[in-house]
Each structure stands twice: as C-alpha cells, then as structure tokens.
Amino acid sequence: MTLTQPSETRRGPVARPRGPRRTRGGRGAARAAGLLAALLLLAVVVVLSIAVGAKQLPLGTVWPGLTDPASAQYTVVHEMRLPRTLLGLTAGLALGLAGGVMQALTRNPLADPGLLGINAGASAAVVSAIAFLGVGAYSGYVWFAFAGAAAVSVLLYTVGGGRGATPARLALAGAALNAALLSYVNAVMLIDAASLDRMRFWTVGSLASARLDVVAQLAPFVAAGTALALALARPLNAMALGDDSATALGARPGRARAGAVVAVTLLVGAATAACGPIVFVGLIVPHLVRSLTGPDLRWLLPYCAVLAPVLLLGADVLGRVLGRPGELQVGIVTAVLGGPLFLHFVRRRRVARA
Amino acid sequence: MSRTPAAEHPHGKRNDMGRTAPPSRLRGEGLTLAYDQRTIAEDLTVAIPDDSFTVIVGPNACGKSTLLRALARMLRPRAGRVLLDGAELHSRPARQVARTLGLLPQSSTAPDGITVADLVARGRYPHQGLLRQWSRLDERAVRASMEATGVAALADRYVDELSGGQRQRVWIAMAIAQQTPLLLLDEPTTYLDIQHQIDVLDLCAQLHEEQGRTLVAVLHDLNHAARYATHLIALRDGRVVAQGPPGEIVTADLVHEVFGLRCQVIPDPETGTPLVVPAARRRAAV
C-alpha cells in the first residue's frame, strides 16, 4: 500500500498560523509564551486605561494613584478610572470567552452574542423596564438585562432543539430572535421619547457609567461563567468533529451543549447588563485568536479571555482620545474599528469556514 | 442475561450450523430500532464474534447503518438492549465505553485549520480528563496510529488540504488512537475511488490481523465484503437473513434473497473468496 505524497491539493496562498515543523511540546511552549505576551499586553492597556482621559495622568503617577490615598491622583483613579478599567476587563473577558464558546457551539464563525439575539434580549428587557415599569436607576437595569439575556438563551436553546439542537438550528433560531427583539426595542423607543433618551446611551454600549458596586455584583457571574467555559473546552473540542464522533469519543454532546448555553448566558448577561450591548468583541477576538492558536479550544478560550479585554479597553482608551474633550462610546469604537479589521481577516483567511 | 446459543440467531437460516456460538463482547438482543415514527428493525438479534472482521451488508434502507449506530450507542433502541461485555451499553459511563468501543462515523467534520497530528490526538479524549492531561502514553499512541495508517509523514499538514483518501486514513488514525479493542466503521469507503477503497480496506484488514482488533464495518460493495470479512451479516428489511464466513454463506440464492439480484458466484481469482457476478440484462429476464 503506497501512499502518494500529496502536493497537488494545496490551495492558493493562505496565511497559516504556524511555520514549518515543530514538535508537539515546542508548539505548546510557543502557545504558552504567546499567552504570557498577551497578558503583558493586557497590563499595558490597563495602565493606559487608568492614565488616559479628560484629565491626563502621567504614567509615573498611576501606581501611587492606585495605592497611596495621599496621592493627588487617588480620587480620579479610584472614583473614575479604576471602576471603568475593571468593568472593561470583566466585560471584555466575558464577551471574548462567550464569543469563543458560541462559535464552537454553533460551528458558525459568525456566532456572537449580538448575532444570536442574546444582546437583543437584554436590550428588550431593559427598554421594557424603562418604558413600562418606570425603572430609572442604572443598578435597576442590570438585573433586567440579565433576565432578558437568560430568557433569550433558554428560548434559543429550546427553539433550537434542546438536547438535540444542531448548530444550524441554533444559528437560525438566534437570527430570528435577534430580528424580532430588535424590532420590539425600536418600536418601544419610537413610541416613548423619554425612554428613548435613557436607552440611547445604554444601547450603544459604554463603560463610562461604571461603578465599583456594579462590577462587584457581576463578578461572581463572570467567574462562574469563565470556569464553566474553560471546563467545556475539551468536550467542545470533541464536538467540533461532529456529534457522532464526540459521542464515540465518550463526550456527551447534549450535556455539553446545555452547559455551554449556561456559560454564555452568565457571561453575556453580566457583560451586557453592565455596559450595554457591545458588538464585535465577541465576534472578532475568537477569529483573531484562531489564527494564533489554531482550533484547539484549550488554548483558544484562554487567549480569548486575555485578548478580548485588550481590545475592549484599547477601544475605550481610543474613544477617550479621539472624542476629546468628550469621548466616544466604546461600543461605537469597537464596531467602527472592528468592521474593517474583520474584513481584513475575511480577506486574509478563510474564516467563513468554521 | 441469556447467553444461550439458541437465542442468538433466531432468523439465521444459514448460520454457522452445529458450531457453538463464538464468544462475543458486543451483541444486540431483541433490538427494535426506529427513527421517530419509522421503524427500521424489530426484534433484531446479532452478536459480533470476538477477533472477527465483521461486515454488515444489505440493500439500501435495510437497516445496516442503523444497526451499527445502535451497536455504537449513537441510537438508543426502542426495545431490546445492546450489551458490551455483558453490561447494557447505555447504562455504562460514556468515557469507559469509549475506551472499549470506537466508531468511525459516516461523516465527520474537521475543524478548519487543524493539523493531522492534532486531529489524531483528539482520539485520546476518553483517556484524558481535567486532571489527567496529555501524557507520554498519549504521544506514543498518536505516533503509533499515524504510522500504522501511513499518515506519519503528513503529521504537520492541514487536514483540509488532503485528498479524500488521505483524509479517510487520518480519521481512521484518530479512531485507532482511541485504542479500543472494538472498532466500528460506518461505510468507510463511501466517496472514495476504487484505489482508495481497496487502500482503506487493506488497512482495515491489516489492523484486524496485526493489532488483533475486532472490526465491524458497514459496506455497500458485496464483493469487497466477501473478500475482506471473516464474518458476514446479511440484512434485509431489518432482519438477519444469513450470517457466517463469506465462503460458506455467499451463494447466488442468498444474493437474490437479500438484494433481489440474479447473479453467479464464482471464486475470486485473487483470493478464492466468493465473487458476485451480476447476470447480464438478457439473462436476468429469464
């Protein structure tokens, strides 16, 4: 039985994540080093996020501002920059991980909290709360947003077929829910001018109204969602080969799918509740990461968790610089920045095939 | 649980007569198999002889893939039970079953941008856990299965760049890396050209002979089945028409009964196994 050496099947010039031969261990080491570099990058962005704003802080004063109550910067850092930065970290991590899990779950490279209607569910709940229940306080929105995201996730899972859900059905159900819910949100906002005004800022996605107590409220949900998502990396890896192969390998696709929906709800619900629907972070970060790590979710998900906050905080800092003396909302910056970046990736890689 | 030979082949008219039933780790007893409303088989009983290369044949929609899916626990029987080592398949822990029983499904999807080595490594899933990560044992199993299937040279290539025949070898390598004594293959030669079909079947025969695995395959081509199988199960309308070594059971009458095809059965000039030669159009009318 001779095996012909393949040479004819290579398709066009395609950018590939890795160079020539490397041993398995070497590749693991490279991935670990990359993760470390990503963490360093995150640290840099965090410092910038604390330093940059309407009142510019010299980089040297960031540390004293954080730790020394006597420092002149202490109030600015603790009242404004720190909550905002922590919220960006938490929300970014949540959205990036959720995007990675959703793309794996639906085997659809376009899956992201925005496109599957989970953001829209949160928006619909918030707009209902403002227009019909008269909820005015920011801290009140949070729980409605969470409930809305959870309701849509459950609906998505049920309509998508429950334990027998197929990736295609999940994606279709998500798209339909998204369209319906967004129409509802727009209708309510058109009818009720007052709620339109209040909703406006929330619906574009912003870190500006960050408060430490909100971050603290949401942190447990994000922590639970993160733990669940990372624990699902292996089963989702097996499910990437098809449900039959996954079952043959000893994974349980039905259980893993339910777990993934719970993880996504926790992560997206928390992030959306805190800063409104921020699009593109959950879509583009997993794509970018896939070109670095390959499709192995045991690496892809941790990378997403680190690089998504880099993108979100980076966009937030950029919004503060570009919008001076005011600022651009982070949701706008990520979309404006993310669109062209995404197009670039589509051109460079065959991302359309999950 | 009943292990009496009499209960084993209720439909087997031409089974291995007189012989005592060979030992069997994997068996289905009184299976009723159905998809939603459509019943494929009722009261179907089969036993896969240990150390055999069993091939299931039959016309389209006879239930051969359904039977294989039930044996591989992809499909839960409506009635009856599938026994692996005497215990009901569906009641055993998934991971534990996956260390004994492997399946190569009819169609699988490879994630975009996965390398051959990484895909084969995913076969180690049931041997790993949150606390038991990649080990030297896994490494060795992956390398050995790539060598056994002749894809070691492709280790760092991307699966989506490979030809259909190479890709099928890689999937077989993944199934082998799972290191299960029993391996089920659902139409492993479909979509391959004749050279790669033989290539894959030779590989299966080699795995059966050299590694002592029990293989169960669903095949469309009766001549391939007759050449490679050590044990043949012929299904029609969800029941076993005959089972046994191909040399004993493949006759013109059986082919007519199972496939409704007039033919001659002659010895294969290469191997001496039965070779089915369909009747020409003129004679078929007789």
Side-chain angles (χ1 to χ4, degrees):
Chain A
M1 221 177 331
T2 53
L3 189 68
T4 47
Q5 278 304 314
S7 56
E8 72 290 351
T9 46
R10 193 167 260 286
R11 292 184 206 139
V14 174
R16 286 302 195 177
R18 272 171 260 122
R21 282 166 178 274
R22 261 184 235 163
T23 62
R24 200 169 190 85
R27 212 161 53 212
R31 284 166 173 170
L35 198 56
L36 206 65
L39 278 168
L40 283 175
L41 192 61
L42 182 60
V44 169
V45 179
V46 164
V47 170
L48 281 178
S49 170
I50 292 177
V52 176
K55 181 175 187 293
Q56 195 82 23
L57 307 184
L59 287 182
T61 63
V62 168
W63 184 249
L66 266 176
T67 51
D68 180 9
S71 155
Q73 278 77 34
Y74 190 82
T75 315
V76 178
V77 168
H78 279 257
E79 294 289 311
M80 305 182 56
R81 304 283 167 79
L82 191 61
R84 185 171 193 158
T85 305
L86 285 178
L87 181 60
L89 269 179
T90 319
L93 176 144
L95 290 171
L97 262 182
V101 170
M102 285 178 108
Q103 287 178 14
L105 184 68
T106 57
R107 280 185 223 132
N108 185 334
L110 290 180
D112 106 318
L115 291 164
L116 286 187
I118 297 180
N119 275 342
S123 301
V126 169
V127 82
S128 307
I130 294 172
F132 305 126
L133 303 175
V135 176
Y138 175 75
S139 54
Y141 299 170
V142 169
W143 302 111
F144 280 98
F146 219 126
V152 168
S153 295
V154 170
L155 203 62
L156 178 69
Y157 183 70
T158 324
V159 176
R163 288 177 77 85
T166 63
R169 280 176 73 174
L170 279 177
L172 282 174
L177 281 172
N178 192 38
L181 288 166
L182 284 183
S183 317
Y184 169 76
V185 169
N186 286 334
V188 174
M189 280 168 55
L190 280 177
I191 294 164
D192 185 348
S195 59
L196 167 72
D197 219 35
R198 258 179 278 163
M199 272 297 286
R200 218 158 39 122
F201 282 98
W202 191 83
T203 46
V204 285
S206 167
L207 300 178
S209 46
R211 282 177 14 202
L212 267 186
D213 57 335
V214 173
V215 177
Q217 272 174 356
L218 295 173
F221 294 99
V222 174
T226 303
L228 189 54
L230 293 179
L232 285 169
R234 265 170 40 80
L236 286 174
N237 257 351
M239 283 161 67
L241 311 178
D243 277 11
D244 280 358
S245 290
T247 309
L249 287 172
R252 301 214 212 140
R255 226 170 58 164
R257 207 170 277 127
V261 169
V262 171
V264 165
T265 306
L266 288 170
L267 293 168
V268 175
T272 311
C275 28
I278 292 177
V279 290
F280 263 122
V281 174
L283 176 64
I284 194 158
V285 170
H287 275 300
L288 193 136
V289 165
R290 204 169 290 127
S291 68
L292 296 173
T293 62
D296 188 344
L297 290 165
R298 287 172 304 174
W299 287 102
L300 188 136
L301 291 181
Y303 265 77
C304 283
V306 176
L307 286 179
V310 170
L311 179 69
L312 192 62
L313 281 177
D316 189 44
V317 169
L318 204 63
R320 285 181 241 166
V321 174
L322 293 178
R324 269 182 189 154
E327 58 179 62
L328 283 173
Q329 314 249 315
V330 68
I332 296 173
V333 180
T334 53
V336 169
L337 211 68
L341 206 60
F342 190 62
L343 282 178
H344 173 70
F345 272 100
V346 171
R347 274 180 57 80
R348 203 164 70 86
R349 283 176 50 79
R350 294 171 291 138
V351 287
R353 305 177 49 216
Chain B
M1 73 213 63
S2 79
R3 283 206 174 221
T4 51
E8 278 189 48
H9 312 301
H11 304 292
K13 294 179 196 166
R14 278 167 289 240
N15 60 9
D16 26 12
M17 288 161 290
R19 266 178 248 165
T20 50
S24 166
R25 299 182 67 177
L26 180 64
R27 54 211 293 133
E29 290 180 350
L31 300 175
T32 297
L33 306 174
Y35 293 112
D36 294 326
Q37 300 303 314
R38 208 159 55 90
T39 302
I40 309 289
E42 268 176 293
D43 195 27
L44 180 62
T45 295
V46 290
I48 306 301
D50 287 350
D51 306 319
S52 69
F53 183 172
T54 296
V55 175
I56 305 173
V57 292
N60 289 337
C62 69
K64 51 190 191 298
S65 277
T66 309
L67 171 61
L68 195 81
R69 289 177 61 78
L71 292 177
R73 78 197 151 128
M74 300 292 132
L75 178 73
R76 200 185 270 268
R78 285 278 161 84
R81 52 196 191 156
V82 177
L83 298 175
L84 177 64
D85 294 328
E88 196 157 353
L89 199 57
H90 280 279
S91 63
R92 294 183 53 179
R95 187 102 61 84
Q96 196 191 333
V97 172
R99 288 197 283 257
T100 312
L101 181 67
L103 169 74
L104 184 68
Q106 215 172 90
S107 61
S108 307
T109 45
D112 196 23
I114 195 169
T115 60
V116 169
D118 283 346
L119 183 61
V120 175
R122 295 213 174 162
R124 298 302 293 165
Y125 184 90
H127 301 273
Q128 296 172 300
L130 271 181
L131 299 175
R132 195 194 158 299
Q133 295 290 332
W134 192 256
S135 73
R136 202 167 298 162
L137 211 64
D138 296 318
E139 184 77 55
R140 214 177 306 144
V142 167
R143 198 172 317 129
S145 62
M146 287 200 294
E147 268 155 24
T149 50
V151 296
L154 306 175
D156 291 321
R157 295 281 305 274
Y158 292 95
V159 173
D160 48 16
E161 298 173 343
L162 303 181
S163 70
Q166 290 169 335
R167 215 173 295 163
Q168 188 65 326
R169 279 177 164 259
V170 171
W171 283 108
I172 293 174
M174 189 195 92
I176 291 172
Q178 204 175 330
Q179 291 188 321
T180 56
L182 286 145
L183 177 58
L184 314 186
L185 307 112
D186 196 356
E187 298 193 16
T189 55
T190 311
Y191 308 124
L192 297 180
D193 60 36
I194 181 82
Q195 180 219 335
H196 288 106
Q197 288 181 21
I198 297 299
D199 192 55
V200 162
L201 289 168
D202 280 342
L203 175 60
C204 291
Q206 185 191 340
L207 292 173
H208 170 245
E209 282 160 24
E210 292 174 11
Q211 304 194 355
R213 293 174 199 252
T214 304
L215 298 189
V216 186
V218 166
L219 292 181
H220 261 301
D221 190 312
L222 191 52
N223 285 328
H224 288 169
R227 178 184 277 199
Y228 287 94
T230 63
H231 185 82
L232 200 63
I233 297 177
L235 286 186
R236 184 185 171 97
D237 299 331
R239 57 187 187 83
V240 177
V241 177
Q243 55 182 324
E248 294 178 17
I249 66 165
V250 177
T251 61
D253 283 346
L254 179 77
V255 174
H256 185 248
E257 188 181 345
V258 173
F259 291 93
L261 176 76
R262 298 266 174 222
C263 69
Q264 292 184 50
V265 175
I266 59 171
D268 185 328
E270 284 282 326
T271 57
T273 52
L275 184 68
V276 174
V277 182
R281 192 157 57 97
R282 282 174 287 110
R283 295 174 44 137
V286 179

